[in-house]
Amino acid sequence: MASSSLSAVLLLCLAVAASAQLSPTFYDTTCPNALATIKSAVTAAVNKENRMGASLLRLHFHDCFVQGCDASVLLSGMEQNAIPNVMSLRGFEVIDSIKAQLETMCKQTVSCADILTVAARDSVVALGGPSWTVPLGRRDSTNANEAAANNELPPPFFDLVNLTQSFGDKGFTVTDMVALSGAHTIGQAQCQNFRDRLYNETNINSGFATSLKANCPQPTGSGDRNLANLDVSTPYSFDNAYYSNLKSQKGLLHSDQVLFTGTGGGTDNTVNNFASNPAAFSSAFASAMVKMGNLSPLTGSQGQVRISCSKVN
């Protein structure tokens, strides 16, 4: 525990140092229309397909949790082939389209890492969620790490201790973790990631479980990739309904429901607060997303600004 705590402190110090080199005005002179271009494209993509907002948000999370917010997840193959990502990550075409637009406006200026970070924020806003100021100036990695993606992205079967450790290792507080989990107020999950919860767990609303079983049969290999909404109440609105669902034992994933036990569990009070206070959730989520975007960015002369997000220059 002492070693892990020290690692988290060191990581936090490095993140603070790196984020100090980021600035919300980074492109004001070199590409003044960058943010407006990203927002317009994201809004159009989400309006075309509501699910895309969650996909872009997840893409950002899966980027930042593995060697920092460096767009490594956008490189073809590698991290994309990791177990948490293969055949589930999506939204690459939206990022590629934005990058192509920006390249015609400001050649090799706006990084893929910054595009992805801003797109995550704009996706949340497009679905009615909070906004926040995004510091800019990240650069793109020249490598990706499939093994790290397999080891560092928290899986859907994690319990509260595992989740707390996983997020804590990245410098997040428990409140940050519960707030970031609220991203599951949008998006969908594959049957293979919640089948065991449906058929083997007891802390699940029986009617909720029954409603999902037809589309998620018990035998492994049957309907593995069938989808269900993470938020059964308002699946395409970024709101605090996720926490009310947890209180009703309607968390889709095991790693969702462990946040609320109803018997005084470690994060019960935070879930209660977010369920009853939308403003508290919005504020905590925005704050945690800024932290997320500050995870080990490449800055200055580190890395590169890719011309195409899917490959190194």
Side-chain angles (χ1 to χ4, degrees):
M1 283 297 290
S3 175
S4 177
S5 298
L6 179 60
S7 297
V9 170
L10 290 173
L11 181 67
L12 183 59
C13 290
L14 289 171
V16 169
S19 64
Q21 300 180 51
L22 303 178
S23 167
T25 61
F26 189 83
Y27 297 115
D28 280 9
T29 56
T30 57
C31 198
N33 292 321
L35 294 186
T37 300
I38 297 171
K39 183 173 184 177
S40 177
V42 169
T43 301
V46 174
N47 285 343
K48 182 179 179 181
E49 183 200 8
N50 287 339
R51 184 186 171 201
M52 186 55 67
S55 297
L56 293 173
L57 181 57
R58 183 171 185 257
L59 202 53
H60 173 58
F61 176 88
H62 282 225
D63 180 39
C64 294
F65 238 68
V66 181
Q67 71 180 31
C69 304
D70 60 0
S72 58
V73 76
L74 300 179
L75 290 172
S76 294
M78 294 176 280
E79 289 177 24
Q80 296 177 10
N81 294 329
I83 293 171
N85 295 335
V86 67
M87 297 186 72
S88 66
L89 277 188
R90 59 196 303 274
F92 299 105
E93 72 281 4
V94 176
I95 301 300
D96 289 343
S97 175
I98 293 170
K99 180 60 174 173
Q101 290 181 63
L102 292 175
E103 283 298 305
T104 64
M105 298 164 51
C106 327
K107 187 168 179 62
Q108 209 168 345
T109 300
V110 183
S111 70
C112 300
D114 275 345
I115 292 171
L116 188 50
T117 306
V118 174
R121 187 270 311 274
D122 292 344
S123 293
V124 170
V125 172
L127 292 172
S131 185
W132 57 91
T133 300
V134 177
L136 302 165
R138 297 166 193 79
R139 289 170 64 86
D140 302 323
S141 69
T142 56
N143 67 298
N145 192 329
E146 181 179 345
N150 279 320
N151 292 330
E152 297 180 24
L153 290 167
F157 55 78
F158 261 11
D159 62 20
L160 186 57
V161 172
N162 295 138
L163 286 173
T164 302
Q165 181 74 57
S166 178
F167 280 81
D169 285 347
K170 302 296 181 184
F172 293 109
T173 67
V174 173
T175 299
D176 292 333
M177 176 197 59
V178 178
L180 290 171
S181 297
H184 285 178
T185 186
I186 55 175
Q188 299 175 319
Q190 296 180 353
C191 165
Q192 62 185 342
N193 291 322
F194 59 85
R195 174 184 283 119
D196 188 65
R197 172 154 168 73
L198 291 188
Y199 293 97
N200 296 318
E201 297 187 7
T202 58
N203 61 339
I204 186 168
N205 179 281
S206 59
F208 174 63
T210 298
S211 71
L212 294 168
K213 288 179 178 178
N215 197 44
C216 186
Q218 189 167 11
T220 299
S222 178
D224 281 3
R225 299 195 182 277
N226 290 350
L227 298 170
N229 292 323
L230 287 159
D231 177 352
V232 68
S233 303
T234 55
Y236 300 115
S237 295
F238 197 96
D239 54 26
N240 66 331
Y242 167 80
Y243 300 103
S244 297
N245 292 338
L246 297 185
K247 294 181 67 175
S248 301
Q249 296 189 323
K250 294 180 181 179
L252 182 64
L253 304 178
H254 177 83
S255 57
D256 290 323
Q257 195 59 56
V258 295
L259 299 179
F260 188 81
T261 65
T263 57
T267 53
D268 279 16
N269 286 341
T270 306
V271 170
N272 280 326
N273 182 35
F274 289 163
S276 63
N277 191 335
F281 164 56
S282 292
S283 177
F285 182 81
S287 176
M289 284 299 291
V290 172
K291 271 191 186 182
M292 176 77 74
N294 288 344
L295 285 178
S296 306
L298 300 175
T299 58
S301 60
Q302 298 173 316
Q304 62 182 212
V305 176
R306 291 185 215 137
I307 296 172
S308 171
C309 291
S310 63
K311 61 183 180 181
V312 175
N313 295 343

